[in-house]
Amino acid sequence: MTAVTWKATETEHPARTASRRSMSAVSRGAKDEWVALFAPDAVIEDPVGVSMIDPTGLGHHGHDGIRAFWDKTVASVERFEFDIDDSFAAGDEVANVGTIHAFLPGGMRLATQGVFVYRVGPDGLIRSLRAFWEVDRAMGTLRKADDSST
């Protein structure tokens, strides 16, 4: 699998383009490039609601919050692969449906299925990223990286 496998429509849309740039930067570990894709007042909710990642459920705000989110989550993963099955654009948003494969230290991996919604401004910068996925379902996929059953 390549870092980003895109099975969805190729139709151009600003939010779709921003989402693809975001996935590419994450898969390459390009933190500064990734943060630069977001507006200074952007919000990340990943996952949406209260979670171990976001105990308040209010999201991660601004570039400082987004950098902290990276340090707490993305930086702890050895490799990401994105498998996007579909993508629906409307207005200034896109909802991508797919699976994020996170390869963890110790030879483990997690497959998180979800809907990942990006909203952009007129400048093409991401204003919000909202990831709809269920922690328990994702944790149920935890396997050795060489186990192909997920």
Side-chain angles (χ1 to χ4, degrees), residues 19-143:
S19 75
R20 293 181 79 168
R21 288 180 180 150
S22 173
M23 288 181 277
S24 174
V26 169
S27 69
R28 291 181 286 105
K31 177 182 176 180
D32 291 337
E33 179 183 329
W34 184 69
V35 172
L37 295 171
F38 290 85
D41 60 348
V43 178
I44 292 178
E45 297 173 79
D46 183 356
V48 170
V50 174
S51 71
M52 66 212 166
I53 299 166
D54 181 8
T56 67
L58 300 175
H60 309 275
H61 295 259
H63 284 174
D64 289 342
I66 291 167
R67 285 182 203 286
F69 172 80
W70 177 288
D71 293 341
K72 187 175 184 179
T73 60
V74 178
S76 65
V77 175
E78 291 179 349
R79 182 174 94 244
F80 283 96
E81 292 178 357
F82 297 83
D83 191 6
I84 303 302
D85 297 315
D86 218 336
S87 179
F88 301 92
D92 58 0
E93 298 184 79
V94 69
N96 295 331
V97 180
T99 304
I100 300 173
H101 302 273
F103 293 81
L104 308 170
M108 302 299 284
R109 76 171 176 159
L110 206 60
T112 304
Q113 295 177 317
V115 178
F116 309 95
V117 180
Y118 296 77
R119 183 173 53 83
V120 297
D123 55 7
L125 293 176
I126 300 168
R127 296 297 193 264
S128 71
L129 166 54
R130 302 183 77 219
F132 294 83
W133 57 276
E134 297 175 24
V135 173
D136 292 343
R137 285 176 63 175
M139 293 307 294
T141 71
L142 189 62
R143 305 273 190 280

